[in-house]
Structure formats: C-alpha cells, structure tokens
Amino acid sequence: MPQTFVFSSVFSPSCSEQGQPNMGECSKSGSGDLIFQDGHLISGSLEALVEHLVPTVDYYPDKTYIFTFLLTSRVFIPPNDLLARVGRLCLAQRQQLEAGPDQAKRKSFSVKTVQLLKEWTEAFPCDFQEEKAMAELRAITHCITQRDEENSTVKKAVTQMTQKLLLSLAARSQLQEIWEKFHPSAMNKGAVLNTKSPTTQKDILSVCCDPLVLAQQLTYIELEQIHSIHPEDLMQILSHRDSLDNQRCQGAQTKIYSLEAYDNWFNCLSMLVATEVCRVVKKKQRTRMVEFFIEVARECFNIGNFNSMMAIISGMNLTPVARLKKTWSKVKTAKFDVLEHHMDPSSNFCNYRTALQGATQRSQMAHSNREKIVIPVFNLFVKDIYFLHKIHTNHLPSGQVNFKKFREISRQIHDFITWTQVECPFEKDKKLQNYLLTAPIYSEEALFVASFESEGPENHMEKDSWKTLRRRPRACPPISDKGSSSTCRDSSVKLL
C-alpha cells in the first residue's frame, strides 16, 4: 500500500473504480445496498457507503473512493460522527479477529486500518481539530496497537501519523489566527488616493514596464493564495450557500478566511487596474497604461493564469475606465477584443472553457512546472460546483445517496486542488509584489471623479452623477504604500 496521500494519483487509472468487482462482491455487508454501473459506484445507502470505506482482512477501498467519500459525506454526516461510525466498525472487526488464532490476519487488518486513518488525516486534517475527533482517533489506534506488542511497524506508523497530524493542525491554526487578525482590514477595498495624485506618486509602470514579468508575479501571488485553499473549504461553500438559500443561520459555520482573501484579491486587482488607468492625467500616458495592461492580460492567458486575466479585464470594463472614449480611441484594441472573446459569457463561457481545457491538457502532459500552471477563474469554478450540486438531488427516488453526483463534484475539486499544488517556477520580485499588494487604490466613487476629470461627462446621466460627486467631500490624503502583504491593502481610509 502507498505510504503517502498524493492528490495527483487519486484519480489515476490504477486507482479508479473501474477495477471494482461486481456489486455482490463489493458489498461487504452482503446487503446489495451498493449499486455499480460500468464498474463505477453510482449509489448506495449511507450505511453501506460507510461500510465500503472500512477495510477488512481481504479488502481495502481504492483511493478514489476514500477521497470522494471523505470529502462529500460531510453533506450528510459531520466528520466527527463519521469517524465514530468507522471506529465502531473497525473495533467490531478487530474483536472478531482477536477471537481467532490467526495473528497474520490481525496484523493485516491493523495495517490497513492505520493506512485508512493516515490517508484521512493527511487529506483532511481539519476533521481532527476538535478534541472529540482526536479522542476517537486515539481510541481506535490504541485498540489496534495494544495487543500487537510485537508489531513495531504498526506502532511506528501510528506515531508518525499522529505527529504529522499535529504539525499540520498547528500550521493551519497559526494561519487561521493570521487571517482573523487581518480580517477587518483585508475585507475593505483599501486605501483611497486623492484624485489626480501628484506626479511623484508611483504608478505600476515606474515599478515594472515588462508585461511578462508582471504576469509572472501575479501568477506567483495567485499560487500562494490558492495553496491555502483545501478541499473541505470548497465543500463548505456548498453547505453555506444551502443555508443561505434555506434562510437558515448556521452558527457553527466556520469562517473560511482563505476563500475570502482570495476573492478579495480578485477585487483588489480589478480596482488596482482601474486606479492605475484613471489616475493618469495625460491622455497619451493613459493610453499607454491601458495597452500595458492588455499585454499583461495576454501574458496571463499564455501562462494559464485565467483568474488574473479575468480580474484585469474586469478592471478595464469598469464604467470609469470603459467610458474614457478619447483614451480608447487611441488604443489598439484588437488584442483586447481577443481577450474579451476568450471571456465572452455567452454559451456559459464556452470560449473560456475551451481554453481552460487546453491548459488542463497541457498541464497533464507537462515536463516542467511552468507548463503545469492552471489557475481557473475562481468565481466561475465555485459557481460550477454549486450548480452541479443544485441541479442534481442528493438522494435518488429509492432513497439511496446519489454517489454519481458527488463523484463528479469530487473530481472537479480534486482537479482544482491538483492545480494548487504546482510549485511556482518564477522567482519572487519583492519590490513588485509589495506594490501589487499594498499600493493604495481608489474607491468606486473616486474612480468616477478621476474619470470625469480626465474626460468630462457626455450625457445627462453622467452630468447628474458628476454634480453629485462634486458636492461631496474629497478623499482623504493617501497613506503610506508600505503595508502587510498578508492583506491586499491594509487600510480603513475610505472616501467620505
């Protein structure tokens, strides 16, 4: 059996359910509650699915099933309760084996049980962050090892598993504390510059004038952000949205700061792009800025960084930027038209999905980390799995769990997690990243002020908006651009 849980191997052919025996052979309970189709498990009662997870002397579940069920079962049963059920089944088998004389069978079962727990703790360590779960884990491992005095291999495996779990939980706890510390400032839109800042104020071109370098650093930041996102976080999105749809408040809902930070990063990047364009006083320089970001977005596309590409396009399409007709008339828009074609929302973003599929195939055949990079548009990815969750029922008319649905959700989440584990091939540019993560940005109203000051209002609606904005107090002075890279912009200064 493998000694480590590697996401990239979970859905490989050698680990798939295609090699499963027929239904009668797979159902360890003999109840026939598991239904297979073309070798794939498609449905079953919750009890039978739990039993299918537990190893026996002659059986061990494949990695695909372990990952899929551990990930998606939380829709029906909390991880604590699932662990308790698994523990009871394991202990019952253990007692039966102890009644017999075959020591080899006991050892085989012990090894398989520890392997299952090892894969669980490595894939979903947060399932064990509560003391109740840790107590259950200790109870299971104690029962397995207490009578195997001669079996040092099993005891060593349990010790290593426990140590690794504790280290993982400590690291995640520390990260959670950081998120909570910076959460209030990380969630606002950032510092607000005075419109038409002095020429001494830095802009992105004064820090980096190479579109490829900027695209690479954006990719570096993206990979750092998504590396903190875990499979269970994505499943919790489904549960959270279900609670909102049903107008229920789940007090126990855990705050997923890594997801909030990543979503905030997208919004900050869009606003930064708009700020960099709108704050430029001269039309010629403003045109250059627009063309620069078009090139950056193209480089992001070539790298496979679709999230940053979409954020840049979103920033360029914000009304304060899009309305600058005199500026856009000087821009060579052919390249931008191609980018917008890739992100055309018609036919459910068909063009984007084709490009994403191409990047995925390149990643699968890649020989270098650079070719492995795939960063999807995160909001679209979340909508996809949520849509899949909503259009298919959790249970079939027979009352069985619709496991086919959850296998597909698991597959998509697995693909995303695989992409998050790619090591960034680009060296970190601290100066450029510091600018990207801490440079002050305009609020939405300040963007409109800057836009109208660059090119005056052209219709009655714009003139009315401009009059309203002029009657309001101007923004506060800019703060220092030296901030924490843990948040997009660490400031509470806003337009009054």
Side-chain angles (χ1 to χ4, degrees), residues 64-235:
T64 302
Y65 182 76
I66 293 174
F67 176 78
T68 300
F69 187 68
L70 291 178
L71 173 64
T72 60
S73 61
R74 60 199 70 225
V75 173
F76 306 100
I77 179 173
N80 282 349
D81 294 345
L82 176 61
L83 181 62
R85 289 197 189 188
V86 170
R88 287 195 293 270
L89 291 171
C90 288
L91 296 181
Q93 287 195 63
R94 174 72 183 190
Q95 290 172 356
Q96 291 179 358
L97 292 171
E98 286 178 350
D102 198 333
Q103 183 177 342
K105 287 185 177 181
R106 287 201 303 271
K107 180 177 179 180
S108 173
F109 177 72
S110 297
V111 170
K112 290 178 180 178
T113 302
V114 172
Q115 177 64 22
L116 175 65
L117 295 173
K118 181 174 182 291
E119 294 191 24
W120 192 339
T121 56
E122 290 180 354
F124 306 101
C126 285
D127 288 353
F128 301 86
Q129 61 187 355
E130 295 183 10
E131 178 56 33
K132 181 180 179 181
M134 287 299 294
E136 187 70 40
L137 179 64
R138 287 193 293 267
I140 298 172
T141 55
H142 175 71
C143 179
I144 290 173
T145 58
Q146 66 175 340
R147 298 194 181 183
D148 283 335
E149 300 297 338
E150 75 288 350
N151 192 358
S152 59
T153 303
V154 175
K155 287 190 173 182
K156 183 178 179 181
V158 169
T159 301
Q160 291 175 343
M161 174 191 72
T162 305
Q163 290 176 345
K164 189 172 183 179
L165 173 61
L166 293 175
L167 288 173
S168 180
L169 288 174
R172 293 198 186 190
S173 177
Q174 185 178 18
L175 182 60
Q176 186 78 359
E177 290 176 1
I178 294 174
W179 288 129
E180 291 175 356
K181 179 180 179 181
F182 288 103
H183 178 257
S185 58
M187 291 303 109
N188 66 52
K189 289 184 178 180
V192 178
L193 291 169
N194 275 323
T195 56
K196 302 306 176 190
S197 302
T199 55
T200 55
Q201 177 69 40
K202 283 184 179 181
D203 63 19
I204 188 66
L205 288 174
S206 68
V207 181
C208 175
C209 58
D210 187 335
L212 176 59
V213 172
L214 180 53
Q216 290 175 344
Q217 294 307 302
L218 290 174
T219 302
Y220 192 107
I221 294 171
E222 293 273 359
L223 289 173
E224 271 195 333
Q225 293 270 355
I226 62 177
H227 188 69
S228 299
I229 298 175
H230 306 290
E232 61 270 28
D233 299 337
L234 298 170
M235 282 302 297

Side-chain angles (χ1 to χ4, degrees), residues 382-448:
V382 170
K383 288 178 181 178
D384 283 347
I385 59 175
Y386 182 67
F387 182 70
L388 183 61
H389 175 57
K390 293 301 290 185
I391 64 173
H392 298 289
T393 59
N394 291 344
H395 292 90
L396 300 176
S398 63
Q400 290 190 326
V401 174
N402 185 3
F403 194 74
K404 183 177 181 181
K405 160 191 170 174
F406 292 106
R407 191 177 67 228
E408 178 58 25
I409 291 176
S410 174
R411 185 192 65 78
Q412 293 193 25
I413 291 178
H414 161 263
D415 287 345
F416 180 83
I417 295 300
T418 300
W419 297 330
T420 70
Q421 295 179 338
V422 173
E423 183 178 350
C424 186
F426 312 122
E427 292 186 9
K428 183 175 183 177
D429 185 327
K430 293 183 179 179
K431 181 180 179 181
L432 179 52
Q433 287 199 24
N434 182 66
Y435 184 89
L436 291 170
L437 293 167
T438 65
I441 57 176
Y442 286 142
S443 70
E444 185 177 356
E445 290 183 351
L447 284 173
F448 273 106

Side-chain angles (χ1 to χ4, degrees), residues 312-381:
I312 293 171
I313 293 176
S314 298
M316 305 277 264
N317 282 327
L318 289 175
T319 302
V321 179
R323 65 167 298 277
L324 299 173
K325 295 180 180 179
K326 294 178 183 179
T327 302
W328 282 99
S329 67
K330 300 296 182 181
V331 175
K332 298 176 183 178
T333 58
K335 294 177 181 179
F336 189 67
D337 292 340
V338 172
L339 293 175
E340 288 202 305
H341 173 74
H342 286 306
M343 294 299 170
D344 183 358
S346 62
S347 301
N348 193 22
F349 289 90
C350 177
N351 296 334
Y352 158 70
R353 297 183 189 283
T354 301
L356 179 64
Q357 184 179 15
T360 302
Q361 291 174 348
R362 179 189 66 183
S363 177
Q364 292 170 346
M365 299 183 292
H367 299 290
S368 67
N369 284 333
R370 184 163 186 162
E371 295 173 324
K372 291 180 181 179
I373 296 174
V374 181
I375 305 174
V377 179
F378 188 64
N379 284 335
L380 288 180
F381 170 76

